[in-house]
Each structure stands twice: as C-alpha cells, then as structure tokens.
C-alpha cells in the first residue's frame, strides 16, 4: 500500500489511476495512521496520520481517479469516514476489510459490524462508496486450498444480517491462487437475484 509521504507524493505524480493505502489504529494516540499492521503504538513523530494522508491526497491530486482504504483494524473506520466527510471527498472510495475467515486464514481483526455500520450513516451516504469485503487467507506452496461453499455462505450471511441496502456496490477480493478451483462457489456471490451490484476483484501477493 501507499503508506508513507514519499510513496503518496510519487503515486500522485506517476500516472497512477487508483491508490490503495493501509490504515491501522494507533493505540497510544487514539488516531488512525497509515500502516500495514493491525495496531501501532509508536509516537506520532514516527507515523503518517490519516488526516495528513487525506490532506495531501486532496490538495496535491490532479490525476488519481479513486482511493481504496484497506482497514487493518475496525477502530480506525469511523474516524476515517468522519475525516473524509469533513473534507468533502468526492472521488470513488473503496472500503476494504477482511471480515470472514477464508482458506488457511486467521480470525479477522475487523468485525463485520465495524464495516457495515458505516453504510447506514449520513456521512457515508454523501460519499461514492464501494464495499470491498473479503476473507483472511494464507497460501502455502503446493496448496490445493479453495473458497468453499461454507466460506461463501459465511459472507452472504454477514451481509444479509446487517441489512446492507441493495443499491450499495460490493466487490469481493479473491486471492487469485484460489480463484480457478473456487469458481463454482464464487459465482454464488454474483447472483443478481441476491444482490444486483456485486463483483469480484482478483488480487495476488508475492507468494
């Protein structure tokens, strides 16, 4: 993710269309910061505060078309939404979090409610929000893992239980390593009779 001032300035100038950044919660200062970890306790002199990230993004951006925030802790979500609302953020915004346990994954550090409650708030309705909600996963070499029917059912159950309006766009991040073996299961997330605005986003890591 684009998590440092230098990375952000570079991305805003190199022709990048869509920026992804990671957000966690600084427990010492009780503020969201840019970092690829669930929590941080460093002093603010060592952190890139989310407020500073957004200020730079808004004031220096002339080309980037959208922003994806990958939330590593649920505590950071609502404060970030308030910052975005206050600065009248107007570009497409993806809110990403792993809310279910997936193939080889660990227990999620973000609770479904922490993501879904944002959609029912006025400050979120003023933004162009897409929910990007997925599963924690792990890919060992020579793995034959896949997304099972249980993984899909868990995700659908969480969405249905929290009464997400049907006009809210939802994309499901799918680890590319598992996609082919899981295709018949994943298609259940694209059923228009369930929800009319769903999609899949393939992602990969350095395996």
């Amino acid at each position: 993710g684009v998590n440092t001032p230098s990375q952000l300035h570079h991305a805003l100038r190199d022709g990048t269309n869509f920026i992804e950044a990671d957000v966690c919660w600084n427990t010492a200062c009780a503020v969201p910061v840019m970092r690829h970890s669930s929590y941080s306790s460093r002093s603010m002199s060592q952190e890139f505060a989310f407020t500073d990230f957004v200020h730079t993004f808004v004031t220096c951006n002339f080309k980037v078309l959208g922003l994806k925030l990958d939330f590593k802790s649920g505590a950071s979500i609502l404060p970030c939404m308030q910052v975005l609302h206050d600065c009248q953020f107007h570009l497409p915004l993806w809110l990403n979090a792993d809310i279910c346990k997936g193939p080889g994954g660990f227990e999620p550090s973000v609770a479904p409610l922490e993501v879904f409650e944002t959609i029912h708030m006025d400050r979120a309705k003023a933004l162009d929000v897409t929910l990007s909600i997925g599963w924690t996963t792990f890919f060992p070499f020579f793995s034959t893992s896949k997304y099972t029917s249980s993984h899909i059912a868990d995700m659908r159950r969480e969405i249905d239980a929290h009464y997400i309006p049907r006009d809210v766009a939802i994309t499901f991040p799918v680890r590319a390593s598992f996609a082919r073996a899981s295709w018949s299961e994943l298609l259940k997330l694209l059923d228009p009779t369930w929800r009319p605005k769903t999609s899949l986003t393939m992602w990969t890591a350095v395996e």
Side-chain angles (χ1 to χ4, degrees):
V2 176
N3 298 331
T4 67
S6 60
Q7 289 174 336
L8 179 57
H9 282 288
H10 180 72
L12 290 171
R13 289 170 169 79
D14 69 356
T16 298
N17 289 327
F18 216 96
I19 286 179
E20 177 178 0
D22 303 305
V23 188
C24 81
W25 186 248
N26 184 295
T27 56
C29 303
V31 294
V33 297
M34 314 311 294
R35 191 174 292 280
H36 191 276
S37 59
S38 296
Y39 293 94
S40 173
S41 59
R42 300 186 183 193
S43 69
M44 289 307 296
S45 63
Q46 299 175 289
E47 300 282 27
F48 188 20
F50 180 74
T51 52
D52 295 335
F53 174 92
V54 172
H55 176 76
T56 302
F57 188 100
V58 172
T59 57
C60 300
N61 177 32
F62 300 103
K63 297 179 180 179
V64 176
L65 303 179
L67 175 64
K68 176 184 176 184
L69 296 175
D70 190 352
F71 290 102
K72 302 303 182 182
S73 62
S76 61
I77 297 177
L78 291 183
C80 287
M81 295 299 290
Q82 186 65 58
V83 171
L84 292 165
H85 180 267
D86 291 346
C87 75
Q88 298 181 330
F89 192 87
H90 65 280
L91 294 175
L93 175 67
W94 284 25
L95 305 180
N96 184 83
D98 294 332
I99 64 169
C100 292
K101 186 177 179 180
F106 48 84
E107 290 299 326
S109 59
V110 178
L113 178 60
E114 293 175 309
V115 180
F116 294 145
E117 67 180 342
T118 65
I119 298 302
H120 298 288
M121 296 184 174
D122 289 339
R123 58 177 174 264
K125 294 174 184 176
L127 303 171
D128 182 6
V129 170
T130 294
L131 287 181
S132 174
I133 45 178
W135 304 259
T136 60
T137 63
F138 178 70
F139 181 75
F141 288 110
F142 312 113
S143 172
T144 57
S145 297
K146 58 179 284 187
Y147 295 97
T148 65
S149 295
S150 294
H151 294 139
I152 305 305
D154 288 345
M155 181 62 73
R156 288 185 50 144
R157 188 180 307 113
E158 291 292 352
I159 293 170
D160 292 340
H162 290 90
Y163 306 104
I164 305 306
R166 286 173 58 82
D167 62 343
V168 172
I170 301 177
T171 191
F172 301 98
V174 173
R175 195 167 194 139
S177 312
F178 303 149
R180 185 171 182 179
S182 312
W183 193 244
S184 61
E185 288 81 8
L186 292 170
L187 285 177
K188 298 173 185 176
L189 297 172
L190 304 179
D191 180 1
T193 63
W194 173 53
R195 295 193 65 88
K197 299 174 69 174
T198 60
S199 62
L200 304 178
T201 302
M202 298 297 167
W203 67 274
T204 189
V206 179
E207 310 282 24

